[in-house]
Amino acid sequence: MDAQGNPVARTVLTDARTGAQIDAWDTLESATGDGRSLYGGTVPLSTTSTGSAYELKDPTRGNTYTGDAAGQVDLCLLGTLCLTRAPATVFTDADNHWGDGTTTDRASAAVDAQYGTDVTWDYFKNVHGRNGIAGDGKGSYNRVHYGTRYNNAFWDDTCFCMTYGDGDGTQMGPLVSLDVAGHEMSHGVTSKTAALTYSGESGGLNEATSDVFGTLVEFHADNAKDAGDWLIGEKIVRSGFGRSALRYMDKPSKDGVSVDCWSSSAADLDVHYNSGIGNHFAYLLAEGSGPKTINGVAHNSPTCDGSTVTGIGRGALGAIWYRALTVYMTSSTDYAGARTATLNAARDLYGAGSTEYDAVAAAWSAVNVG
Ligand code: ASN
Ligand code: ZN
Ligand code: CA
């Protein structure tokens, strides 16, 4: 193990007569490859050379790797108590050029998942100074091709890993897009920080946190093949799904199930629906109210109180939300508490009475919080 907890296989060459060390080197070496992804074009990949082949494992990002779940499913009791985790066999490749950009090659979805993990790692490291999901430099892993026609992806604290289905092909394709990868990995960040309880309003904030960072990850990638927008899952939905994305952060109610505005019954909703309040706040804070075309995608955000909100940009949103999440929110934080937490964060970062501080207050008021 090195200082970061990464496995190191050291080969030592010794003089057979004297036993003296002649040379020593690490057999696991970082190599630069590339992959043809399903959604992001050809992307660079940092992989591990084993000498005879390459593994889809990134020594520069805590040995985060991607494995093939090969259609297996976990065995769980009561929905959550999982006795076994299907082993994921790390992908290997002979020439370090991975996938073919289509589902014909099982490695293509793995390229997207590994790329999504890379970009998310870089986003948290470069923008927030966070070294890995847990902040300890250690990587996680991805399992792709989980189950059969499985229309979901999820983060699991117990394995510290992400799991992706291939979708049923009618409603969804493989769930390995950048925003979904960023969403799932951010559940790991939340669990290691505020640990927002996954029900009621705190659950909505947990989900909103993942949508916010999943979106900021998508923007951070700056990949023209999957440019940033405030939709979640626009790359994975198919015509059978009946709409263009899983969720719409500018106006969450566009999905037919989420809410745009806080009310006293918000806590009763599924966490993927009352997250709309937090998503709507985040959009308004970054981009402002009214119509706005971003990377060719039309957005249009209303306010619940008829006010006009002027956005302060995605960078300020990310800084404020991250500080609120890691310093001020706790497991039981609700929307009123999130208003206080983000105002505290904005005060720390920009000062009380700053444009940013006032915008946080205005954006929460615009979604009926406070
Ligand atoms: N994809 C979902 C999510 O991450 C899975 C779940 O319901 N937990 O929120
Ligand atoms: Zn989620
Ligand atoms: Ca998106």
Side-chain angles (χ1 to χ4, degrees), residues 7 17 66 161 165-166 173 210 213 257 323 329 342:
R17 240 169 358 99
T66 298
C161 76
D166 288 326
S210 280
F213 289 126
V257 279
R323 185 165 177 82
M329 290 187 190
T342 49

Side-chain angles (χ1 to χ4, degrees), residues 178-253:
L178 269 175
D179 49 7
V180 172
H183 174 109
E184 302 310 341
M185 230 166 145
S186 298
H187 275 309
V189 174
T190 297
S191 117
K192 291 285 179 187
T193 56
L196 290 154
T197 301
Y198 204 61
S199 63
E201 291 194 19
S202 60
L205 280 165
N206 187 321
E207 268 302 305
T209 298
S210 280
D211 281 349
V212 166
F213 289 126
T215 291
L216 295 179
V217 162
E218 193 180 87
F219 277 105
H220 187 74
D222 198 20
N223 182 334
K225 292 260 163 51
D226 185 7
D229 53 48
W230 292 85
L231 318 181
I232 300 292
E234 70 282 354
K235 284 287 184 188
I236 63 167
V237 296
R238 298 273 169 92
S239 56
F241 191 64
R243 61 178 193 263
S244 59
L246 295 175
R247 289 187 286 280
Y248 303 85
M249 298 175 74
D250 56 337
K251 187 180 180 187
S253 62

Side-chain angles (χ1 to χ4, degrees), residues 59-78:
T60 72
R61 296 179 180 89
N63 282 320
T64 296
Y65 71 90
T66 298
D68 196 339
Q72 294 184 67
V73 290
D74 298 329
L75 200 61
C76 300
L77 290 173
L78 305 170

Side-chain angles (χ1 to χ4, degrees), residues 155-168:
W155 168 266
D156 184 344
D157 273 337
T158 52
C159 64
F160 206 69
C161 76
M162 281 144 295
T163 302
Y164 302 89
D166 288 326
D168 62 8

Side-chain angles (χ1 to χ4, degrees), residues 3-56:
Q4 278 77 47
N6 305 324
V8 171
R10 200 146 177 86
T11 303
V12 179
L13 185 66
T14 48
D15 185 311
R17 240 169 358 99
T18 64
Q21 182 172 322
I22 298 167
D23 199 1
W25 62 91
D26 292 332
T27 37
L28 297 182
E29 298 220 331
S30 172
T32 303
D34 60 30
R36 289 168 190 257
S37 70
L38 297 176
Y39 304 127
T42 299
V43 296
L45 293 169
S46 175
T47 60
T48 298
S49 167
T50 61
S52 53
Y54 299 91
E55 290 179 341
L56 195 49

